[in-house]
Amino acid sequence: KQEVTQIPAALSVPEGENLVLNCSFTDSAIYNLQWFRQDPGKGLTSLLLIQSSQREQTSGRLNASLDKSSGRSTLYIAASQPGDSATYLCAVLIQGAQKLVFGQGTRLTINP
Amino acid sequence: DTEVTQTPKHLVMGMTNKKSLKCEQHMGHRAMYWYKQKAKKPPELMFVYSYEKLSINESVPSRFSPECPNSSLLNLHLHALQPEDSALYLCASSQDFRYEQYFGPGTRLTVT
């Protein structure tokens, strides 16, 4: 059974810092991995999707990497801003299952 | 346009009521999803429709009844709900199940 773990559960940093969020998964048989952000009481916003054959994806200040063999992904946020405060979720799409398996999320607070 | 819309935003219903949640997308996506999310937890998959046919039912109680009238619309019919069904209900869509999922803003459901 695929399990997805995100560490840390919560993170608080001052504005301007670069930071890394971690995601690990137990079964490497995945189609892709997706990173989302969620603001309180809102829906999920897709940030980046990495296909299983890719190593990384970049969008603006965000960079996500994928090491399928070791079951790890990282989301790097450069020059953090208070507006980056949210919960960040990673999810893997299991091969043959049509189903996203989510981690528990990292609650990020950027302090001005 | 990567928008998924959901109505209503908020819904309060009694345990004997019948109500429906609606979801719409105009991106030509052929996979649509219903998720349930409780506070401080990741979304839990309920149903998947692929090419307008129900392809996954995650053992959801029959008091939740999904419907896909056409490729743009997804409904969730609610009847005889319990207070523990109170949650944020999220709809998502993707080109097909292997591709990036886009989420709507959710319907906040309270069962009294």
Side-chain angles (χ1 to χ4, degrees), chain A residues 66-104:
Chain A
L66 175 64
D67 184 342
K68 203 171 73 156
S69 61
S70 68
R72 294 186 182 195
S73 176
T74 61
L75 180 67
Y76 175 82
I77 303 177
S80 58
Q81 303 170 357
D84 295 329
S85 298
T87 295
Y88 289 79
L89 293 152
C90 73
V92 296
L93 182 64
I94 305 173
Q95 279 190 9
Q98 298 186 41
K99 178 179 174 177
L100 278 178
V101 178
F102 284 86
Q104 294 293 311

Side-chain angles (χ1 to χ4, degrees), chain A residues 31-32 34 36 38 41-49 51 89 93-94 96-100 102-104 107, chain B residues 33 35 37 40-45 48 50 55-56 58 88 90 97-106 108:
Chain A
Y31 276 121
N32 58 50
Q34 201 166 350
F36 298 90
Q38 185 173 31
K42 306 291 186 185
L44 277 66
T45 300
S46 178
L47 298 174
L48 289 163
L49 178 138
Q51 299 290 354
L89 293 152
L93 182 64
I94 305 173
Q98 298 186 41
K99 178 179 174 177
L100 278 178
F102 284 86
Q104 294 293 311
R107 191 170 66 255
Chain B
Y33 312 79
Y35 290 86
Q37 187 178 28
K40 299 191 187 304
K41 297 290 188 183
E44 298 173 27
L45 183 67
V48 179
S50 181
S55 60
I56 294 180
E58 289 286 289
L88 182 67
L90 295 164
F97 73 90
R98 293 165 294 175
Y99 293 89
E100 189 170 4
Q101 288 192 24
Y102 295 91
F103 281 74
R108 173 69 60 190

